[in-house]
Amino acid sequence: MTAPRLAPPLAPLGVYIHWPFCKSKCPYCDFNSHVRDGVEQARWRKALLAELEHAAREAPQRRVETIFFGGGTPSLMAPETVGAVIARTRQLWDTAPDVEITLEANPTSVEQTKFAALADAGVNRVSLGVQALDPAALAFLGREHSADEALQAIETARRHFARYSFDLIYSRPGQTPDAWSAELDRALALAGEHLSLYQLTIERGTRFFAEHARGGFVLPGEEEAAEMFERTQARLEAAGLPAYEISNHARPGAACRHNLIYWRYQDYVGIGPGAHGRFADRVQAGETKRATRRTSGPENWLEAVEREGHGTVESSAVTGQDRVEEALMMGLRLADGIDRALFASVAGADPVEALGEAKLAPLVEAGFLEVDATHLTATPAGRQRLNALLERLIA
Ligand SMILES: C[S@@+](CC[C@H](N)C(=O)[O-])C[C@H]1O[C@@H](n2cnc3c(N)ncnc32)[C@H](O)[C@@H]1O
Ligand code: SF4
């Protein structure tokens, strides 16, 4: 008797849903986020479900491991919309029993009242945009919530969700390394299994960009910023939440699985205005990566979906060296580095062979990269200057 042949396991898939609305626009933020008076929730729900169905035709036969509601401010979504998207995802694809379902939430008191309903809808992980624990810093960052509301939101999140994380922005004007260390200690006392800690960046096109250009505020100098980054790494490591990516820290096993899909260059589909997708395209001979992008204006997107069933403005194949470079830019962010075998399966080539000895050897010698039989890894010094490192690698 021959043993029954087992079907090959389905490739993992992440599903990203973009909600493009916020109560107000923060002066540092260049995300695709917009302020609108009234949002027709039922109309948006219908459109998100339609584009989800389109995505299931683009990337069929996968197993959904993660769903991520990002924004914008997805905690402004009607919980019924969140529930409907989760339920339809489960109908369209096979879904892992331990599927991770994250929603980004702003910590205002109104949004906290929705946490129970969002948990009932199926959300099991929340990522809170706390940004600062200092009232003056929150005012500078133009946030709609107070420090007390943020503390309350962390407490409410802890009660309703199996997993929670929060974001802080540091290297702010006037912030010293000592002040940041003290804030970090307060954050650690409130933290669960995960923290995202971002250095403030001044993005073109934001209000901060114009204010900074005309001298309205001054950022900490390079040395002070580097000191704050290094203290962050050391303090979090000592507290049992080492960095697993440049700005993300977690207890062992508690990394955000959805973001790991991006950094490992695995498959994900993007739903909603401006959302990107990357997934193996088995239609084409030899399997390439397909890159998709939806139109970013909320109203344009809504009308396109109502007309055509999706808001795609770009769908192209990423091949050859481009695929290797994209995968490299993502993978070198990870503290564990690039798993060479996994990289070869998603990017079509072994990274060490694709880059070649001549490029790698001087960077290994200088202490920015490490190579062994299974991994290619940027060292902490390499990760701190990742852009410069990537320029050398993909020049
Ligand atoms: C999509 S955004 C925000 C989600 C949510 N709307 C909020 O504000 O809490 C994700 C995170 O990126 C970070 N971020 C956005 N712009 C930034 C910037 N210019 N510099 C540093 N961090 C930034 C913030 O910490 C933010 O919480
Ligand atoms: S930081 Fe968050 S709340 Fe502020 S504008 Fe950006 S997405 Fe909206």
Side-chain angles (χ1 to χ4, degrees):
M1 205 171 78
T2 52
R5 200 180 301 158
L6 293 174
L10 293 168
L13 183 74
V15 175
Y16 175 78
I17 317 288
H18 191 79
W19 185 257
F21 303 115
C22 294
K23 272 203 199 123
S24 59
K25 183 81 186 174
C26 304
Y28 54 85
C29 177
D30 79 337
F31 283 82
N32 184 25
S33 60
H34 307 264
V35 179
R36 296 286 185 269
D37 274 343
V39 174
E40 296 173 78
Q41 290 274 351
R43 203 173 154 201
W44 272 81
R45 174 155 60 234
K46 208 167 155 210
L48 288 172
L49 296 176
E51 196 168 68
L52 196 59
E53 280 168 14
H54 177 74
R57 290 189 289 275
E58 291 175 316
Q61 288 168 350
R62 306 289 203 285
R63 168 182 257 214
V64 173
E65 298 280 343
T66 64
I67 304 173
F68 193 103
F69 293 88
T73 306
S75 48
L76 297 175
M77 290 172 83
E80 304 82 73
T81 304
V82 173
V85 168
I86 295 170
R88 188 66 57 89
T89 302
R90 289 180 174 280
Q91 286 164 0
L92 291 167
W93 287 279
D94 188 50
T95 307
D98 62 345
V99 59
E100 172 191 274
I101 306 180
T102 305
L103 181 134
E104 285 181 343
N106 282 28
T108 69
S109 46
V110 180
E111 284 154 277
Q112 287 174 50
T113 60
K114 283 180 165 174
F115 284 5
L118 289 167
D120 284 346
V123 173
N124 55 26
R125 182 176 182 276
V126 77
S127 172
L128 287 167
V130 169
Q131 319 305 4
L133 294 169
D134 167 46
L138 284 173
F140 171 74
L141 294 171
R143 298 295 291 180
E144 290 259 323
H145 57 88
S146 66
D148 283 346
E149 273 178 308
L151 300 184
Q152 189 61 50
I154 294 170
E155 208 30 63
T156 313
R158 200 200 303 273
R159 276 206 314 276
H160 288 294
F161 301 101
R163 302 168 62 196
Y164 73 95
S165 173
F166 60 91
D167 299 356
L168 293 177
I169 298 179
Y170 69 102
S171 207
R172 307 181 301 247
Q175 191 179 36
T176 61
D178 283 348
W180 171 234
S181 292
E183 194 170 349
L184 207 48
D185 282 342
R186 288 184 64 205
L188 276 167
L190 301 164
E193 53 168 30
H194 191 286
L195 280 176
S196 300
L197 305 167
Y198 300 105
Q199 283 191 291
L200 176 62
T201 52
I202 304 300
E203 307 286 352
R204 193 170 286 280
T206 60
R207 211 181 80 205
F208 270 4
F209 189 83
E211 280 179 28
H212 183 248
R214 66 175 147 73
F217 62 83
V218 180
L219 290 173
E222 222 172 276
E223 260 179 43
E224 257 189 324
E227 164 90 23
M228 285 191 246
F229 179 82
E230 277 151 23
R231 285 194 190 192
T232 307
Q233 308 303 303
R235 185 71 190 86
L236 272 280
E237 172 119 39
L241 288 88
Y244 66 95
E245 188 266 353
I246 294 171
S247 309
N248 284 282
H249 303 257
R251 296 195 189 284
C256 171
R257 282 163 49 204
H258 185 81
N259 286 338
L260 283 178
I261 286 180
Y262 299 151
W263 294 319
R264 291 176 177 156
Y265 205 53
Q266 290 172 303
D267 289 2
Y268 61 95
V269 289
I271 317 298
H276 290 254
R278 287 283 183 286
F279 44 87
D281 192 346
R282 299 194 168 86
V283 179
Q284 302 214 350
E287 206 179 90
T288 57
K289 205 75 163 173
R290 179 146 296 273
T292 60
R293 184 170 58 84
R294 320 294 185 198
T295 191
S296 39
E299 291 74 21
N300 288 348
W301 176 85
L302 191 60
E303 282 160 21
V305 176
E306 288 176 344
R307 227 178 22 247
E308 296 167 42
H310 62 94
T312 315
V313 282
E314 189 193 318
S315 177
S316 55
V318 191
T319 54
Q321 190 61 12
D322 288 346
R323 190 154 62 126
V324 168
E325 288 177 7
E326 278 199 345
L328 206 59
M329 284 195 274
M330 301 310 278
L332 288 179
R333 302 180 67 89
L334 291 169
D336 283 349
I338 289 170
D339 177 321
R340 291 173 61 177
L342 179 63
F343 188 100
S345 74
V346 293
D350 174 81
V352 175
E353 282 168 26
L355 290 164
E357 181 70 15
K359 261 190 192 159
L360 291 174
L363 294 166
V364 171
E365 183 79 3
F368 297 132
L369 280 179
E370 278 167 6
V371 182
D372 66 24
T374 57
H375 285 80
L376 168 66
T377 310
T379 61
R383 285 201 302 282
Q384 210 176 344
R385 326 169 162 66
L386 188 59
N387 288 343
L389 181 63
L390 285 167
E391 264 172 42
R392 297 272 299 273
L393 286 172
I394 62 188

